[in-house]
Amino acid sequence: MSKKANHRQPPNLFFEIVKGLGANALTSALLVVIFASCFTVVQITHLSRGELIKQDMLLQERDELDLEWRYLLVEEEFYSQHARIEEVAISQLKMKRPTSQDEQVIILQ
């Protein structure tokens, strides 16, 4: 019984497949095109994932810069307030408001 089972199997399946592909040129050409398209799909997928990673990094950087911009706007608002300017003028620049005696009126003719 084991002789019959061995007799039914081809000696080498790989060589049989290659022999069948060699007999038909169109099948071989289609097989080459299929493999080329498979490798192209893998390459394009790899490049797409790389670009998506770059996009995510750029979006994260944009969010960080946007947050920093908002902080700078708040800081600008703080420093541009009239009371803050007046405080800096009095404390650091030793400025004071003019009194009525310090005012001079100039009449132009």
Side-chain angles (χ1 to χ4, degrees):
M1 190 166 176
S2 63
K3 286 186 176 183
K4 290 181 182 181
N6 285 339
H7 181 63
R8 289 186 213 170
Q9 294 179 352
N12 196 341
L13 185 60
F14 177 73
F15 288 123
E16 290 294 323
I17 292 173
V18 171
K19 199 183 334 177
L21 289 175
N24 192 348
L26 178 63
T27 306
S28 299
L30 288 176
L31 183 64
V32 169
V33 170
I34 288 171
F35 280 129
S37 67
C38 290
F39 288 127
T40 304
V41 166
V42 169
Q43 184 67 23
I44 295 297
T45 303
H46 175 70
L47 293 174
S48 298
R49 287 181 181 167
E51 293 299 318
L52 282 174
I53 290 170
K54 287 180 188 176
Q55 181 185 15
D56 286 343
M57 289 172 46
L58 289 173
L59 288 174
Q60 184 178 2
E61 183 181 354
R62 182 195 68 180
D63 291 342
E64 290 171 2
L65 289 173
D66 187 44
L67 185 62
E68 184 179 349
W69 173 252
R70 290 174 192 237
Y71 286 141
L72 288 173
L73 286 177
V74 169
E75 187 177 354
E76 180 186 28
E77 179 69 27
F78 171 74
Y79 285 123
S80 67
Q81 292 176 355
H82 182 70
R84 171 78 176 140
I85 294 172
E86 188 173 359
E87 176 189 333
V88 170
I90 292 171
S91 65
Q92 293 179 4
L93 301 175
K94 308 296 186 222
M95 298 176 84
K96 62 179 183 171
R97 289 196 170 270
T99 61
S100 58
Q101 290 85 14
D102 295 335
E103 292 180 5
Q104 295 180 0
V105 179
I106 301 174
I107 301 173
L108 297 174
Q109 296 180 357

